Amino acid sequence: MADVYVVGHKAPDTDSVCSAIAYAKFKREVEGVNAEAARADEINPETEYVLNYFKVNVPPLLKDAKGKKLILVDHNEFAQAVNGVENAEILEVLDHHKIDFKYPEPILFHAEPVGSTATLVAKKYFEKGIKVPYEVAGILLAAILSDTVVFKSATCTPVDREVALKLAEMVKVDPERFGIEIKKAKASLRGKTASEILMADFKDYEFKGVKVGVGQVEVFDLQEALERKKEILEEMERKRSEGKYGLILMMLTDIIKEGTELLAVGERIDVVEKAFGKRVKDGSVYLEGVMSRKKEVIPPLEKAFG
Ligand code: MG
Ligand code: MG
Ligand code: MG
């Protein structure tokens, strides 16, 4: 049994899972900590593709973190963390999101405004001058490509690109081509229920006491995705009334056109219109150039809530 679990957020994405695996290994092999990676939920098809590709095991599910020692990666808000986080001991945070974290003890908190947590994990290897193991380089590269949408997202920094190119050289893949391959594993909505589409990458927030949920899915063809719009809106409405949300948003992000159709349900549509300066028509609004939830949707939304 591990002393420490390294775990990412709920509804885990590739960055959350791969950073946890790589950082747990770093902690074990470089720092001598008895750490093990865990996941807060089921992994998505993109992550499954990546782990398969580099022959890396899926980390075990941490159902309840009560009484456990944790290192949080790729998130710091308790609303997004593994079940039982309130009764866990947090030793460390490694993240690239806005900080919404309070803890009664002094801990190591490392956050940088880069495109992925994987970038920070890779940098830790580089700083120590340690060779990154092949499969670790592979999954970290995949996580950077995933989180930065193959370097297209507004969250992508020159550091992410530099680190990714270094890792790509180690694993001998063309990053752009590999990135598209990864994205294709997840981008099709075919065969998925509206609930699966909505919940695949869904995050909870609280703004001025209002519960807000924001989902995102990346697609290669927005027109095709919009054929499911009515169904997804109905699912959002169902979730809103069940979960007492003031607002539920769903980003259908076209990674080729580089823009997002933002679907919105709830009592606070006014906030969405204020945040983006556009009218919501038939339950949605198109946001040209918007691809990042955390950088282009959450900040204006939070501001609009005042
Ligand atoms: Mg993430
Ligand atoms: Mg991330
Ligand atoms: Mg992400």
Side-chain angles (χ1 to χ4, degrees):
M1 260 240 324
D3 297 331
V4 178
Y5 291 90
V6 183
V7 65
H9 53 80
K10 277 191 188 158
D13 53 13
T14 298
D15 189 30
S16 239
V17 176
C18 295
S19 291
I21 295 169
Y23 198 41
K25 193 174 168 75
F26 181 87
K27 282 276 162 188
R28 262 193 330 267
E29 293 176 1
V30 180
E31 296 187 3
V33 178
N34 183 15
E36 193 184 302
R39 62 187 156 90
D41 249 319
E42 293 312 317
I43 61 170
N44 70 38
E46 181 193 281
T47 311
E48 196 183 336
Y49 178 87
V50 167
L51 296 182
N52 257 331
Y53 192 101
F54 292 104
K55 301 189 174 57
V56 173
N57 290 332
V58 177
L61 177 68
L62 188 57
K63 271 193 212 127
D64 186 357
K66 188 180 170 196
K68 302 271 196 289
K69 291 189 168 93
L70 304 180
I71 294 174
L72 307 183
V73 292
D74 198 39
H75 70 303
N76 66 79
E77 297 185 41
F78 275 23
Q80 297 167 3
V82 62
N83 293 331
V85 68
E86 308 79 13
N87 300 307
E89 186 185 340
I90 297 172
L91 303 182
E92 188 181 334
V93 175
L94 180 64
D95 192 19
H96 68 127
H97 292 89
K98 77 180 164 78
I99 297 164
D100 188 357
F101 185 80
K102 254 201 195 123
Y103 199 65
E105 307 281 338
I107 66 157
L108 177 58
F109 192 105
H110 180 172
E112 284 185 44
V114 291
S116 78
T117 304
T119 302
L120 302 176
V121 180
K123 269 175 60 187
K124 288 195 185 281
Y125 273 96
F126 298 160
E127 279 160 13
K128 290 261 183 203
I130 297 164
K131 188 174 180 296
V132 189
Y134 171 83
E135 75 286 0
V136 173
I139 62 174
L140 288 176
L141 169 65
I144 297 171
L145 293 169
S146 169
D147 254 24
T148 64
V149 196
V150 199
F151 309 132
K152 283 183 184 178
S153 170
T155 59
C156 186
T157 69
V159 179
D160 299 298
R161 190 181 274 274
E162 188 190 313
V163 168
L165 294 181
K166 241 175 162 172
L167 295 169
E169 222 178 272
M170 293 176 189
V171 291
K172 307 218 168 5
V173 297
D174 176 281
E176 316 264 343
R177 216 181 299 157
F178 183 52
I180 297 291
E181 215 176 297
I182 293 170
K183 286 290 163 198
K184 275 199 172 140
K186 198 174 75 168
S188 176
L189 304 187
R190 263 187 225 125
K192 290 185 190 141
T193 66
S195 167
E196 284 166 350
I197 294 167
L198 178 62
M199 296 314 294
D201 178 10
F202 189 86
K203 288 185 180 176
D204 282 332
Y205 301 87
E206 202 181 292
F207 303 127
K208 298 276 155 188
V210 181
K211 192 176 168 190
V212 177
V214 186
Q216 182 175 29
V217 69
E218 286 153 0
V219 298
F220 277 85
D221 182 355
L222 185 58
Q223 283 320 310
E224 190 188 297
L226 285 173
E227 288 169 17
R228 307 286 300 273
K229 176 176 162 179
K230 192 168 160 267
E231 215 187 314
I232 296 168
L233 280 170
E234 283 166 9
E235 183 61 29
M236 290 163 70
E237 187 52 47
R238 205 183 55 74
K239 184 159 178 73
R240 185 200 61 76
S241 58
E242 248 181 40
K244 302 191 171 53
Y245 286 87
L247 192 63
I248 289 194
L249 303 179
M250 178 65 188
M251 301 169 66
L252 305 180
T253 300
D254 190 318
I255 65 181
I256 304 297
K257 259 175 64 185
E258 302 187 26
T260 289
E261 186 81 20
L262 186 69
L263 278 55
V265 305
E267 285 167 7
R268 301 306 307 272
I269 299 291
D270 62 300
V271 181
V272 180
E273 297 186 331
K274 189 175 159 198
F276 302 103
K278 280 178 106 173
R279 287 231 87 77
V280 174
K281 260 189 264 166
D282 301 322
S284 75
V285 56
Y286 184 71
L287 305 174
E288 181 79 45
V290 168
M291 300 182 81
S292 166
R293 171 172 45 200
K294 78 169 175 180
K295 203 158 182 172
E296 295 165 314
V297 172
I298 298 305
L301 202 62
E302 186 163 19
K303 204 169 153 213
F305 267 102

